Amino acid sequence: MNNPPTTTTPLLRCDICRLTLSDSNTLESHFMGKKHQKAVRSVDLRAQQEGKAVYLTRLGTLKLPEVHSYMSTFGTVVNMQVGEHKDIPGRLHHIIVEFENEEVVSVILSKDMREKHKVEVPGSDPIRFQAIKIFERKFKERARSPSPPVCSGVSHDQVRLRLALLGDCEEQLEELVNLTHLNEEEVQQRVDICKNIQKTFSRSKFSRCTVYPFGSSINGLGFPGCDLDIYLELGPPKEISSSLLNNIPVTMTEQQKVRAAMKLLKEIPQCARLNPILAARVPILKFVHRPSGIHCDVSFKNRASVRNTEFIRFCTETDTRVKPLMVAVRYLARHYGLAGGGGGLKMSNYALTMMVIVYLQQLEQPLLFTVLELQAVAGLEDDLINNWNCNFCQDFTRLRSLPANQSTTLELLSDFLQFYSQLDLSTVVLCPLLGKVIPRTVFLSTTSTQAIFPSIPFFLGPTGLQTDKPMCLQDPFELTHNVCRNLPEKAVRNLVSHLREAAEVVTSCLVQETRPVGGLVNLFSMEVKVEEEVLKADNVQSLLRDLEVAKRGFFMNNIKIPLNKKYLDWFCETVQKSDGEDDLVGDVDYGDLGDSHLLLDCGAHLVEVVLGDCLKMIEQESDIESFADDDFVNTDQIDVKTVMTEQNVKKVNDDQKVPQGKDSSQVEGSDDVDGSECVEVKLEATSPDLADQSLKRSGSENSAKVLSKKARLHPAPVYRAGVGWTVWSQVWVGRRKLGTIIE
């Protein structure tokens, strides 16, 4: 056998991962690791390996290091792809070896060498060789599956053109419905998709599976090209053959159902781009219907979404004006990116539709029934989903007649836009169950909540309805669910601004004299200016709730202090007089802030003004001397163990100042100007004379608690309680997290 000359130490490297391996011990773990295999899948192997790689098989008991050592005798190995034996665990089926250049491959596959490749089997006694087969690395031409077509949607240009041809606004609303509804072919495509899924699962272990389409495709409000939402009720799997296990219930998590459904839907050639979303609140499986391009979302949680769809469809059939109103609102929101899909600054189409329903329920002559009335029909059985009754009467013969409402669809659209543009959504709860707009203050008390929701399961609490969000829209059936819980305040302001602008356009269309040219077409060319956020004291908590939980903690001990403008004016005048410069012009121009640091000085001064009378911590001896004549306690050397104040701490009265040169460890408290009392602050002094001295509450027998936490800074600071502050945590020198709350 003519073996090629061997090299002493083969170079261990991987060009795909761009690293050099330290030794042969890491060789096998790297090339068989997931990281390397993932990197291999991400490169164009044909362009990289063609002409530079060989295919090895019949490896017997050989391991990767022995094969690498042998192949390195021909040239530098830069990559190896390993295929394990499926029938014999632990053995290699094949290895694809890539070299640095093509000449090495020519030598290995030459006639003289092709049948002579043998590798010594390590540990064999006597020495034994494994004959391996080496072939040229070939790439097969594989026809790629055609990409799904783009599902045709609504042409906005066509909508504008068709509406502009009509002079009457009521006719424009009717035409908008005709242009945006799903035709029979699109409906049939969605029906066929559901049937194919049903057939596929009926042949599997989930033979009792039931497919429920829901959402816009079913409720009558879907636009061409809308997604198909499907609820898949898998049901119990087929009974296990063993009679001992037949009665054992088999439960699957939603994530497991998603994975199981993905394996089955792969068998359907029409399903492309399967994408499981496992980390969502409701895990779903997304795929694209290849023939039509329809995007499908399959969920497995419960039938609540199906019942919601039935309720919306029932509402559209209650009055002929309801559907055109909903279509107009949804199309307007879709055009300006206010709704559709949810997430970010978009609200869901479901939430937007519920806003229309609540508006129509709360009218003096309502066009829709409340959910509570629909559920109170005699003889109606409950349909419990997660312990919530999701049933409602859909038989109009069993319902009362609603009062006559003579409003046109255009008038209803105008009133809807004005209603929500004038409503402060941050202070109310939209409740389709009762058909009312309820102030959030009602939900602050259990008694008031139960009074307005009679015989309804309690839905508040830590895991209940989230009424502290910028917008609260209660689900009609699952009462603990705020449909707009993830909608940020910026999105609410954006929505209200667009509704306000649209209200002006639609209102002008009500009167012939003020109707603009084009009528409702002007809704699609509005220039909307979104109101800037106004930071109010009561908005601070709302802003914090919009942050992530991890970031929210950074701001929990921060405070917002409203300052009177006179402080800034006074400071500016003082600086002008002292500097003799004209850096400040009026109330705005501050000159060269970068050189004089005026802004920083002003900020420091304002903090001194505001906090100086509330809580002061003097850390330097020079500072103590400078404040010796102020109304502080004596500035002798003292060690503060812990200073704790009770709520409603008040400023020590001016007439209770401690004369200079007199021991100040004990001062008799008296009523302040506003009738409040001083609190006791105990200090431990370093001298015997100051050992038992303290500030006492006038007329009080109880004293403030003193906890042992000795200060380490010298000289120790002096604390003075101020007006309107509460120190809610134990305070001592060196503690960085000092929390304060404005009363």
Side-chain angles (χ1 to χ4, degrees), residues 345-525:
L345 297 181
K346 289 185 178 182
M347 72 188 318
S348 64
N349 283 322
Y350 173 68
L352 187 63
T353 306
M354 282 297 159
M355 290 179 63
V356 179
I357 290 176
V358 173
Y359 161 73
L360 296 176
Q361 289 174 330
Q362 58 83 44
L363 294 173
E364 291 185 7
Q365 291 85 31
L367 267 67
L368 296 178
F369 297 95
T370 66
V371 176
L372 189 63
E373 182 177 356
L374 295 175
Q375 292 181 336
V377 175
L380 187 68
E381 296 182 356
D382 292 348
D383 181 12
L384 295 180
I385 301 177
N386 284 355
N387 297 322
W388 294 106
N389 181 20
C390 296
N391 201 7
F392 61 96
C393 180
Q394 303 185 51
D395 186 359
F396 289 102
T397 61
R398 302 173 62 183
L399 299 172
R400 67 180 176 90
S401 298
L402 292 172
N405 188 315
Q406 303 301 327
S407 300
T408 64
T409 306
L410 186 64
E411 290 172 343
L412 291 173
L413 177 60
S414 175
D415 291 343
F416 166 83
L417 296 172
Q418 292 183 19
F419 176 76
Y420 281 110
S421 62
Q422 298 171 3
L423 184 64
D424 187 357
L425 294 172
S426 64
T427 62
V428 297
V429 174
L430 306 180
C431 179
L433 176 72
L434 303 179
K436 295 181 180 180
V437 178
I438 307 172
R440 296 194 187 186
T441 53
V442 172
F443 297 92
L444 298 177
S445 170
T446 303
T447 305
S448 60
T449 304
Q450 292 177 341
I452 199 172
F453 289 88
S455 66
I456 300 295
F458 192 67
F459 52 82
L460 298 178
T463 59
L465 180 67
Q466 297 175 318
T467 59
D468 56 349
K469 298 296 182 179
M471 180 174 177
C472 183
L473 174 54
Q474 191 177 32
D475 189 86
F477 302 110
E478 187 181 350
L479 302 183
T480 57
H481 179 37
N482 178 5
V483 179
C484 299
R485 69 192 181 283
N486 293 327
L487 198 65
E489 186 176 358
K490 184 177 180 181
V492 177
R493 289 188 284 109
N494 189 32
L495 173 67
V496 173
S497 298
H498 280 80
L499 295 180
R500 183 180 297 109
E501 192 71 25
E504 296 181 3
V505 176
V506 178
T507 303
S508 65
C509 294
L510 293 175
V511 183
Q512 183 67 34
E513 290 74 13
T514 60
R515 181 179 301 170
V517 178
L520 295 180
V521 178
N522 293 277
L523 286 173
F524 309 124
S525 57

Side-chain angles (χ1 to χ4, degrees), residues 193-357:
I193 293 174
C194 295
K195 287 183 177 180
N196 289 336
I197 294 176
Q198 181 77 53
K199 291 179 181 178
T200 300
F201 279 82
S202 64
R203 295 192 297 264
S204 68
K205 64 178 181 179
F206 301 105
S207 58
R208 303 175 187 178
C209 169
T210 307
V211 177
Y212 296 95
F214 68 94
S216 300
S217 300
I218 306 300
N219 60 25
L221 302 174
F223 297 150
C226 66
D227 295 352
L228 172 60
D229 298 310
I230 298 173
Y231 165 64
L232 203 57
E233 193 173 78
L234 294 179
K238 289 182 179 179
E239 295 181 354
I240 304 175
S241 58
S242 174
S243 59
L244 296 176
L245 302 177
N246 283 345
N247 296 326
I248 298 178
V250 179
T251 58
M252 299 175 64
T253 64
E254 293 179 53
Q255 289 81 0
Q256 290 173 332
K257 292 178 181 179
V258 170
R259 294 188 182 98
M262 184 173 179
K263 292 180 181 179
L264 293 174
L265 292 181
K266 283 182 177 179
E267 301 177 7
I268 305 179
Q270 292 83 2
C271 294
R273 300 177 183 173
L274 279 81
N275 180 24
I277 309 296
L278 301 176
R281 174 180 174 269
V282 179
I284 61 174
L285 175 62
K286 303 174 74 72
F287 70 90
V288 181
H289 185 239
R290 195 184 299 276
S292 63
I294 297 175
H295 290 252
C296 305
D297 297 338
V298 184
S299 61
F300 306 85
K301 187 177 181 182
N302 54 49
R303 289 185 300 107
S305 53
V306 179
R307 300 300 286 170
N308 290 333
T309 300
E310 293 176 359
F311 173 64
I312 294 175
R313 188 175 187 87
F314 171 79
C315 291
T316 61
E317 297 172 351
T318 303
D319 191 284
T320 56
R321 292 165 289 183
V322 175
K323 183 175 180 179
L325 176 61
M326 290 183 174
V327 169
V329 172
R330 287 166 63 116
Y331 188 81
L332 180 66
R334 177 179 181 268
H335 176 70
Y336 287 100
L338 304 175
L345 297 181
K346 289 185 178 182
M347 72 188 318
S348 64
N349 283 322
Y350 173 68
L352 187 63
T353 306
M354 282 297 159
M355 290 179 63
V356 179
I357 290 176

Side-chain angles (χ1 to χ4, degrees), residues 650-708:
K650 301 299 180 181
K651 182 180 179 181
V652 181
N653 207 344
D654 290 338
D655 57 4
Q656 298 297 324
K657 292 181 182 179
V658 181
Q660 207 166 4
K662 179 181 178 180
D663 285 344
S664 58
S665 56
Q666 184 172 357
V667 178
E668 294 296 332
S670 64
D671 291 345
D672 201 351
V673 176
D674 57 356
S676 59
E677 297 177 341
C678 300
V679 297
E680 177 187 58
V681 181
K682 289 189 176 180
L683 306 174
E684 180 175 338
T686 56
S687 61
D689 296 337
L690 299 176
D692 299 327
Q693 297 172 346
S694 63
L695 293 172
K696 296 184 178 179
R697 180 190 299 272
S698 176
S700 174
E701 297 180 357
N702 298 325
S703 62
K705 297 180 180 179
V706 179
L707 302 179
S708 176

